[in-house]
Amino acid sequence: MFLGVVSMGLNGIIDSFVFFPDKQLIGTPNDLEMDYRNLWITVEKEKIIHAWWVPAPDPGAVVLFCHGNAGNISHRLDNLAGLYRLGLSVLIFDYRGYGKSRGSASEEALYADARAACARAGELARQAAVPLVVFGRSLGGAAAVGLVEEPGISGMILESTFTNLADMAKVQYHLPWTGSWLAGRFNSLDRIKNARTPLLFIHGNQDYIVPFELGKRLFQAAPEPKEFIAIEGAGHNDTIETAGQAYYEKLAQFINSLKMVES
């Protein structure tokens, strides 16, 4: 029992270094002239998370967007607008503790919230008879990789994401001794091996928050079909600005190559 209490305490400390939620929404898709609908998604019969459904007219796909570790969905309006301009419908959701979503953030909750949001996005994709694409950015990449065995996903985009928490701790906190007890946390490196859909990786080669090398290692562990796009000169938060229109051209090329799969 004592060890269990200690483990829970350590996990709570670790989560406090990973999640930086903001409860205040700073805008809505209407601010960028996108119609949207608030959705409330039930997770595990008791937790409720908040999402925005932004439907495009005559969409080419539905994108489930898994955002990074700070802020909330309202801080991703530019991402929403870029995908919407490509003719894509987007479901973006907040993890527990972020924005209007209830509860507290944790690794276990992150994966459960992503699964519930994916199920809802799958329903919307089937209604529109279009492919479902999962897009995970930074920590959202871990949430996305946690979905690789979920049914009905046509493809996955992973941007500026990492291998596991141990590797990130070595980079961010210079703690070489963390490998034995953090490697299992947010372990995308093992999960990616079970991917069953086409994968597109995007990473800035000057990313010092999630180093380029971690993105490459994750890519190398993934099965085919896969593609890695290195954005020359980009850091962690300026991939779109650095790549310009070529960024969206690549997204469109990848998404247009996907076919709807049965769930």
Side-chain angles (χ1 to χ4, degrees):
M1 181 176 177
F2 173 74
L3 290 177
V5 171
V6 171
S7 176
M8 288 176 62
L10 287 174
N11 284 335
I13 292 171
I14 292 167
D15 288 339
S16 71
F17 280 95
V18 173
F19 298 103
F20 297 94
D22 190 332
K23 301 294 291 184
Q24 184 67 38
L25 298 183
I26 62 172
T28 75
N30 281 164
D31 297 335
L32 296 182
E33 300 182 347
M34 294 178 287
D35 291 331
Y36 78 103
R37 184 157 48 99
N38 286 296
L39 297 183
W40 298 94
I41 301 171
T42 302
V43 185
E44 299 170 345
K45 298 183 180 180
E46 54 183 23
K47 303 298 183 182
I48 297 177
I49 59 172
H50 176 239
W52 284 336
W53 169 236
V54 185
D58 192 23
V62 168
V63 175
L64 174 66
F65 195 94
C66 306
H67 66 70
N69 72 329
N72 56 54
I73 56 176
S74 69
H75 295 91
R76 277 78 190 184
L77 290 174
D78 287 342
N79 296 105
L80 284 175
L83 296 170
Y84 183 82
R85 286 194 295 267
L86 288 181
L88 304 170
S89 295
V90 185
L91 178 67
I92 184 170
F93 67 102
D94 267 330
Y95 316 115
R96 273 173 248 186
Y98 288 74
K100 296 182 179 180
S101 293
R102 303 171 191 173
S104 300
S106 69
E107 180 181 7
E108 182 180 355
L110 178 88
Y111 296 129
D113 296 346
R115 285 193 300 271
C118 186
R120 189 63 174 272
E123 294 173 359
L124 294 165
R126 288 191 296 275
Q127 291 171 9
V130 296
L132 171 62
V133 182
V134 176
F135 194 141
R137 193 177 192 290
S138 194
L139 182 66
V145 173
L147 299 172
V148 293
E149 296 187 79
E150 294 297 303
I153 298 172
S154 295
M156 187 170 290
I157 301 167
L158 300 171
E159 182 175 329
S160 306
T161 194
F162 57 93
T163 48
N164 57 47
L165 194 58
D167 290 339
M168 284 296 295
K170 291 175 186 176
V171 171
Q172 294 292 340
Y173 304 109
H174 308 290
L175 301 176
W177 42 268
T178 58
S180 60
W181 62 286
L182 283 185
R185 296 292 308 269
F186 300 94
N187 191 1
S188 295
L189 192 62
D190 277 354
R191 291 187 178 92
I192 199 72
K193 298 172 185 176
N194 298 319
R196 305 185 291 195
T197 63
L199 300 166
L200 175 64
F201 292 76
I202 302 171
H203 215 117
N205 72 342
Q206 300 298 315
D207 189 339
Y208 299 114
I209 295 177
V210 178
F212 183 75
E213 292 73 19
L214 297 189
K216 285 291 288 186
R217 280 186 59 202
L218 189 64
F219 169 76
Q220 289 161 359
E224 298 283 356
K226 59 184 178 179
E227 184 178 2
F228 190 95
I229 303 297
I231 301 182
E232 298 293 326
H236 190 67
N237 294 313
D238 62 350
T239 49
I240 298 173
E241 293 84 352
T242 303
Q245 187 57 32
Y247 175 93
Y248 287 110
E249 289 174 357
K250 188 63 220 180
L251 291 190
Q253 180 185 6
F254 175 74
I255 292 172
N256 290 339
S257 73
L258 302 175
K259 297 180 180 179
M260 188 176 177
V261 298
E262 296 295 329
S263 60

Short mmCIF file of all heavy atoms in Angstrom, two decimals, residues 92-139:
data_model
loop_
_atom_site.label_atom_id
_atom_site.label_comp_id
_atom_site.label_asym_id
_atom_site.label_seq_id
_atom_site.Cartn_x
_atom_site.Cartn_y
_atom_site.Cartn_z
N ILE A 92 -11.96 19.28 -32.74
CA ILE A 92 -10.87 19.56 -31.81
C ILE A 92 -11.43 19.52 -30.40
O ILE A 92 -12.51 20.05 -30.14
CB ILE A 92 -10.19 20.91 -32.12
CG1 ILE A 92 -8.98 21.12 -31.21
CG2 ILE A 92 -11.16 22.07 -32.03
CD1 ILE A 92 -8.11 22.32 -31.62
N PHE A 93 -10.71 18.90 -29.49
CA PHE A 93 -11.23 18.68 -28.14
C PHE A 93 -10.19 19.07 -27.10
O PHE A 93 -8.99 19.11 -27.36
CB PHE A 93 -11.63 17.21 -27.96
CG PHE A 93 -10.46 16.25 -27.98
CD1 PHE A 93 -9.95 15.72 -26.80
CD2 PHE A 93 -9.87 15.89 -29.18
CE1 PHE A 93 -8.88 14.84 -26.81
CE2 PHE A 93 -8.79 15.00 -29.21
CZ PHE A 93 -8.29 14.49 -28.02
N ASP A 94 -10.68 19.36 -25.91
CA ASP A 94 -9.82 19.64 -24.78
C ASP A 94 -9.74 18.42 -23.87
O ASP A 94 -10.77 17.80 -23.54
CB ASP A 94 -10.33 20.84 -23.98
CG ASP A 94 -9.70 22.15 -24.42
OD1 ASP A 94 -8.54 22.13 -24.88
OD2 ASP A 94 -10.36 23.20 -24.31
N TYR A 95 -8.52 18.10 -23.45
CA TYR A 95 -8.33 17.04 -22.46
C TYR A 95 -8.92 17.49 -21.12
O TYR A 95 -9.18 18.67 -20.90
CB TYR A 95 -6.83 16.74 -22.28
CG TYR A 95 -6.06 16.65 -23.57
CD1 TYR A 95 -5.07 17.58 -23.88
CD2 TYR A 95 -6.34 15.65 -24.50
CE1 TYR A 95 -4.36 17.51 -25.07
CE2 TYR A 95 -5.64 15.57 -25.69
CZ TYR A 95 -4.65 16.51 -25.98
OH TYR A 95 -3.96 16.44 -27.16
N ARG A 96 -9.12 16.57 -20.24
CA ARG A 96 -9.62 16.89 -18.91
C ARG A 96 -8.76 17.96 -18.25
O ARG A 96 -7.53 17.91 -18.29
CB ARG A 96 -9.62 15.63 -18.04
CG ARG A 96 -10.88 14.81 -18.17
CD ARG A 96 -10.77 13.51 -17.42
NE ARG A 96 -10.74 12.39 -18.36
CZ ARG A 96 -10.76 11.12 -17.98
NH1 ARG A 96 -10.79 10.80 -16.70
NH2 ARG A 96 -10.75 10.16 -18.90
N GLY A 97 -9.43 18.95 -17.66
CA GLY A 97 -8.72 20.03 -16.99
C GLY A 97 -8.41 21.21 -17.87
O GLY A 97 -8.00 22.27 -17.38
N TYR A 98 -8.59 21.06 -19.18
CA TYR A 98 -8.33 22.14 -20.14
C TYR A 98 -9.65 22.77 -20.56
O TYR A 98 -10.64 22.08 -20.80
CB TYR A 98 -7.64 21.59 -21.40
CG TYR A 98 -6.20 21.19 -21.22
CD1 TYR A 98 -5.84 20.03 -20.54
CD2 TYR A 98 -5.17 21.97 -21.77
CE1 TYR A 98 -4.51 19.66 -20.39
CE2 TYR A 98 -3.84 21.60 -21.63
CZ TYR A 98 -3.51 20.45 -20.94
OH TYR A 98 -2.20 20.08 -20.79
N GLY A 99 -9.65 24.11 -20.70
CA GLY A 99 -10.84 24.78 -21.18
C GLY A 99 -12.07 24.43 -20.35
O GLY A 99 -12.06 24.51 -19.12
N LYS A 100 -13.12 24.00 -21.03
CA LYS A 100 -14.36 23.66 -20.34
C LYS A 100 -14.48 22.19 -19.97
O LYS A 100 -15.50 21.77 -19.41
CB LYS A 100 -15.56 24.06 -21.22
CG LYS A 100 -15.68 25.56 -21.47
CD LYS A 100 -16.91 25.87 -22.31
CE LYS A 100 -17.06 27.36 -22.54
NZ LYS A 100 -18.26 27.67 -23.36
N SER A 101 -13.46 21.41 -20.30
CA SER A 101 -13.51 19.98 -19.97
C SER A 101 -13.33 19.78 -18.47
O SER A 101 -12.49 20.42 -17.83
CB SER A 101 -12.41 19.22 -20.73
OG SER A 101 -12.67 19.21 -22.12
N ARG A 102 -14.09 18.88 -17.94
CA ARG A 102 -14.08 18.64 -16.49
C ARG A 102 -12.97 17.65 -16.11
O ARG A 102 -12.42 16.97 -16.96
CB ARG A 102 -15.44 18.10 -16.05
CG ARG A 102 -16.58 19.04 -16.42
CD ARG A 102 -17.94 18.41 -16.16
NE ARG A 102 -19.02 19.20 -16.74
CZ ARG A 102 -20.28 18.82 -16.79
NH1 ARG A 102 -20.64 17.66 -16.26
NH2 ARG A 102 -21.20 19.59 -17.34
N GLY A 103 -12.69 17.58 -14.82
CA GLY A 103 -11.71 16.62 -14.33
C GLY A 103 -10.30 17.16 -14.32
O GLY A 103 -10.07 18.37 -14.49
N SER A 104 -9.34 16.26 -14.15
CA SER A 104 -7.93 16.62 -14.06
C SER A 104 -7.13 15.86 -15.10
O SER A 104 -7.40 14.69 -15.38
CB SER A 104 -7.37 16.30 -12.66
OG SER A 104 -8.07 17.01 -11.67
N ALA A 105 -6.12 16.51 -15.64
CA ALA A 105 -5.29 15.91 -16.67
C ALA A 105 -4.34 14.87 -16.08
O ALA A 105 -3.81 15.05 -14.98
CB ALA A 105 -4.50 16.99 -17.40
N SER A 106 -4.16 13.78 -16.81
CA SER A 106 -3.18 12.76 -16.47
C SER A 106 -2.90 11.98 -17.75
O SER A 106 -3.62 12.12 -18.75
CB SER A 106 -3.69 11.81 -15.39
OG SER A 106 -4.75 11.01 -15.89
N GLU A 107 -1.88 11.15 -17.73
CA GLU A 107 -1.58 10.36 -18.92
C GLU A 107 -2.73 9.41 -19.25
O GLU A 107 -3.18 9.32 -20.40
CB GLU A 107 -0.30 9.56 -18.73
CG GLU A 107 0.05 8.72 -19.96
CD GLU A 107 1.31 7.89 -19.80
OE1 GLU A 107 1.87 7.85 -18.68
OE2 GLU A 107 1.73 7.25 -20.79
N GLU A 108 -3.23 8.72 -18.24
CA GLU A 108 -4.33 7.79 -18.47
C GLU A 108 -5.55 8.53 -19.01
O GLU A 108 -6.22 8.05 -19.94
CB GLU A 108 -4.68 7.08 -17.16
CG GLU A 108 -5.79 6.04 -17.30
CD GLU A 108 -6.10 5.35 -15.99
OE1 GLU A 108 -5.39 5.61 -15.00
OE2 GLU A 108 -7.07 4.56 -15.96
N ALA A 109 -5.85 9.70 -18.45
CA ALA A 109 -6.99 10.47 -18.92
C ALA A 109 -6.78 10.96 -20.35
O ALA A 109 -7.73 11.00 -21.14
CB ALA A 109 -7.23 11.66 -17.99
N LEU A 110 -5.56 11.34 -20.69
CA LEU A 110 -5.25 11.80 -22.05
C LEU A 110 -5.66 10.75 -23.08
O LEU A 110 -6.34 11.06 -24.06
CB LEU A 110 -3.76 12.09 -22.16
CG LEU A 110 -3.25 12.54 -23.53
CD1 LEU A 110 -3.35 14.06 -23.66
CD2 LEU A 110 -1.81 12.09 -23.75
N TYR A 111 -5.26 9.51 -22.84
CA TYR A 111 -5.58 8.45 -23.80
C TYR A 111 -7.08 8.15 -23.83
O TYR A 111 -7.65 7.94 -24.91
CB TYR A 111 -4.80 7.18 -23.45
CG TYR A 111 -3.30 7.32 -23.58
CD1 TYR A 111 -2.46 6.95 -22.54
CD2 TYR A 111 -2.72 7.84 -24.73
CE1 TYR A 111 -1.09 7.08 -22.64
CE2 TYR A 111 -1.35 7.98 -24.84
CZ TYR A 111 -0.53 7.60 -23.79
OH TYR A 111 0.83 7.73 -23.91
N ALA A 112 -7.71 8.14 -22.66
CA ALA A 112 -9.15 7.88 -22.62
C ALA A 112 -9.94 8.99 -23.31
O ALA A 112 -10.89 8.72 -24.07
CB ALA A 112 -9.61 7.72 -21.18
N ASP A 113 -9.55 10.24 -23.08
CA ASP A 113 -10.22 11.36 -23.72
C ASP A 113 -10.06 11.29 -25.24
O ASP A 113 -11.00 11.56 -25.99
CB ASP A 113 -9.67 12.68 -23.20
CG ASP A 113 -9.93 12.89 -21.71
OD1 ASP A 113 -10.78 12.15 -21.15
OD2 ASP A 113 -9.30 13.77 -21.11
N ALA A 114 -8.85 10.94 -25.69
CA ALA A 114 -8.60 10.84 -27.13
C ALA A 114 -9.44 9.73 -27.75
O ALA A 114 -9.97 9.88 -28.86
CB ALA A 114 -7.12 10.61 -27.39
N ARG A 115 -9.57 8.62 -27.05
CA ARG A 115 -10.39 7.51 -27.59
C ARG A 115 -11.85 7.94 -27.73
O ARG A 115 -12.51 7.63 -28.74
CB ARG A 115 -10.27 6.28 -26.70
CG ARG A 115 -8.96 5.53 -26.82
CD ARG A 115 -9.04 4.16 -26.17
NE ARG A 115 -9.34 4.24 -24.73
CZ ARG A 115 -8.41 4.34 -23.78
NH1 ARG A 115 -7.13 4.40 -24.11
NH2 ARG A 115 -8.77 4.38 -22.51
N ALA A 116 -12.37 8.62 -26.71
CA ALA A 116 -13.76 9.06 -26.78
C ALA A 116 -13.97 10.07 -27.90
O ALA A 116 -14.97 10.02 -28.63
CB ALA A 116 -14.17 9.66 -25.43
N ALA A 117 -13.03 11.00 -28.05
CA ALA A 117 -13.13 11.99 -29.12
C ALA A 117 -13.01 11.31 -30.48
O ALA A 117 -13.69 11.70 -31.45
CB ALA A 117 -12.06 13.05 -28.96
N CYS A 118 -12.15 10.30 -30.57
CA CYS A 118 -11.98 9.58 -31.84
C CYS A 118 -13.26 8.86 -32.23
O CYS A 118 -13.64 8.84 -33.41
CB CYS A 118 -10.81 8.60 -31.71
SG CYS A 118 -10.37 7.77 -33.25
N ALA A 119 -13.92 8.26 -31.26
CA ALA A 119 -15.18 7.58 -31.55
C ALA A 119 -16.21 8.56 -32.09
O ALA A 119 -16.94 8.25 -33.06
CB ALA A 119 -15.70 6.88 -30.29
N ARG A 120 -16.27 9.76 -31.50
CA ARG A 120 -17.22 10.76 -31.98
C ARG A 120 -16.83 11.26 -33.36
O ARG A 120 -17.69 11.43 -34.25
CB ARG A 120 -17.27 11.93 -31.00
CG ARG A 120 -18.39 12.93 -31.28
CD ARG A 120 -19.77 12.28 -31.15
NE ARG A 120 -20.85 13.23 -31.28
CZ ARG A 120 -21.36 13.94 -30.27
NH1 ARG A 120 -20.88 13.78 -29.04
NH2 ARG A 120 -22.34 14.79 -30.47
N ALA A 121 -15.55 11.49 -33.58
CA ALA A 121 -15.09 11.91 -34.91
C ALA A 121 -15.37 10.85 -35.95
O ALA A 121 -15.71 11.16 -37.10
CB ALA A 121 -13.60 12.24 -34.86
N GLY A 122 -15.24 9.58 -35.56
CA GLY A 122 -15.55 8.50 -36.49
C GLY A 122 -17.00 8.51 -36.90
O GLY A 122 -17.33 8.27 -38.08
N GLU A 123 -17.90 8.78 -35.96
CA GLU A 123 -19.32 8.88 -36.30
C GLU A 123 -19.55 10.00 -37.31
O GLU A 123 -20.30 9.83 -38.29
CB GLU A 123 -20.14 9.17 -35.03
CG GLU A 123 -20.14 8.05 -34.01
CD GLU A 123 -20.81 8.47 -32.71
OE1 GLU A 123 -21.24 9.64 -32.62
OE2 GLU A 123 -20.88 7.64 -31.79
N LEU A 124 -18.92 11.14 -37.10
CA LEU A 124 -19.09 12.28 -37.99
C LEU A 124 -18.51 11.99 -39.37
O LEU A 124 -19.08 12.41 -40.39
CB LEU A 124 -18.42 13.51 -37.37
CG LEU A 124 -19.07 14.01 -36.08
CD1 LEU A 124 -18.15 14.99 -35.35
CD2 LEU A 124 -20.41 14.68 -36.38
N ALA A 125 -17.39 11.28 -39.42
CA ALA A 125 -16.79 10.92 -40.71
C ALA A 125 -17.68 9.96 -41.48
O ALA A 125 -17.85 10.08 -42.70
CB ALA A 125 -15.40 10.32 -40.49
N ARG A 126 -18.28 9.00 -40.77
CA ARG A 126 -19.16 8.04 -41.44
C ARG A 126 -20.41 8.73 -41.96
O ARG A 126 -20.90 8.42 -43.05
CB ARG A 126 -19.53 6.90 -40.48
CG ARG A 126 -18.38 5.94 -40.20
CD ARG A 126 -18.86 4.70 -39.48
NE ARG A 126 -19.39 4.99 -38.15
CZ ARG A 126 -18.65 5.08 -37.05
NH1 ARG A 126 -17.33 4.95 -37.12
NH2 ARG A 126 -19.21 5.33 -35.87
N GLN A 127 -20.93 9.68 -41.21
CA GLN A 127 -22.11 10.43 -41.66
C GLN A 127 -21.82 11.19 -42.95
O GLN A 127 -22.68 11.30 -43.83
CB GLN A 127 -22.57 11.39 -40.57
CG GLN A 127 -23.16 10.72 -39.36
CD GLN A 127 -23.40 11.69 -38.22
OE1 GLN A 127 -23.29 12.91 -38.37
NE2 GLN A 127 -23.73 11.16 -37.05
N ALA A 128 -20.59 11.71 -43.06
CA ALA A 128 -20.21 12.46 -44.26
C ALA A 128 -19.62 11.58 -45.35
O ALA A 128 -19.37 12.05 -46.45
CB ALA A 128 -19.19 13.54 -43.88
N ALA A 129 -19.42 10.29 -45.03
CA ALA A 129 -18.83 9.32 -45.97
C ALA A 129 -17.46 9.79 -46.46
O ALA A 129 -17.17 9.77 -47.66
CB ALA A 129 -19.77 9.06 -47.14
N VAL A 130 -16.61 10.21 -45.51
CA VAL A 130 -15.26 10.67 -45.85
C VAL A 130 -14.26 10.02 -44.89
O VAL A 130 -14.64 9.51 -43.83
CB VAL A 130 -15.15 12.22 -45.75
CG1 VAL A 130 -16.04 12.89 -46.78
CG2 VAL A 130 -15.48 12.70 -44.34
N PRO A 131 -12.97 10.04 -45.23
CA PRO A 131 -11.96 9.46 -44.35
C PRO A 131 -11.83 10.21 -43.02
O PRO A 131 -12.10 11.41 -42.94
CB PRO A 131 -10.66 9.58 -45.16
CG PRO A 131 -11.09 9.74 -46.58
CD PRO A 131 -12.39 10.48 -46.52
N LEU A 132 -11.40 9.49 -42.00
CA LEU A 132 -11.07 10.06 -40.70
C LEU A 132 -9.56 10.13 -40.57
O LEU A 132 -8.87 9.11 -40.73
CB LEU A 132 -11.65 9.21 -39.57
CG LEU A 132 -11.20 9.58 -38.14
CD1 LEU A 132 -11.61 11.00 -37.78
CD2 LEU A 132 -11.76 8.57 -37.13
N VAL A 133 -9.04 11.32 -40.30
CA VAL A 133 -7.60 11.53 -40.15
C VAL A 133 -7.35 12.05 -38.74
O VAL A 133 -8.02 12.98 -38.28
CB VAL A 133 -7.08 12.56 -41.18
CG1 VAL A 133 -5.57 12.74 -41.03
CG2 VAL A 133 -7.43 12.13 -42.60
N VAL A 134 -6.39 11.45 -38.06
CA VAL A 134 -5.99 11.91 -36.72
C VAL A 134 -4.73 12.75 -36.85
O VAL A 134 -3.75 12.33 -37.48
CB VAL A 134 -5.75 10.72 -35.77
CG1 VAL A 134 -5.26 11.22 -34.41
CG2 VAL A 134 -7.03 9.90 -35.61
N PHE A 135 -4.76 13.95 -36.27
CA PHE A 135 -3.63 14.88 -36.32
C PHE A 135 -3.20 15.16 -34.88
O PHE A 135 -3.97 15.71 -34.09
CB PHE A 135 -4.08 16.18 -36.99
CG PHE A 135 -2.98 17.12 -37.42
CD1 PHE A 135 -3.08 17.82 -38.61
CD2 PHE A 135 -1.86 17.33 -36.63
CE1 PHE A 135 -2.08 18.70 -39.02
CE2 PHE A 135 -0.85 18.20 -37.02
CZ PHE A 135 -0.96 18.88 -38.22
N GLY A 136 -1.98 14.78 -34.54
CA GLY A 136 -1.46 15.02 -33.20
C GLY A 136 -0.24 15.89 -33.24
O GLY A 136 0.70 15.61 -33.98
N ARG A 137 -0.26 16.96 -32.44
CA ARG A 137 0.88 17.88 -32.42
C ARG A 137 1.50 17.93 -31.04
O ARG A 137 0.81 18.06 -30.04
CB ARG A 137 0.44 19.29 -32.84
CG ARG A 137 1.62 20.17 -33.13
CD ARG A 137 1.28 21.56 -33.61
NE ARG A 137 2.49 22.18 -34.11
CZ ARG A 137 3.50 22.57 -33.32
NH1 ARG A 137 3.40 22.41 -32.02
NH2 ARG A 137 4.58 23.09 -33.84
N SER A 138 2.85 17.79 -30.97
CA SER A 138 3.60 17.86 -29.72
C SER A 138 3.08 16.78 -28.76
O SER A 138 3.06 15.60 -29.11
CB SER A 138 3.53 19.26 -29.13
OG SER A 138 4.48 19.45 -28.13
N LEU A 139 2.63 17.13 -27.55
CA LEU A 139 2.07 16.12 -26.65
C LEU A 139 0.85 15.46 -27.27
O LEU A 139 0.56 14.29 -27.01
CB LEU A 139 1.70 16.75 -25.31
CG LEU A 139 1.14 15.77 -24.27
CD1 LEU A 139 2.19 14.77 -23.83
CD2 LEU A 139 0.58 16.52 -23.06
#
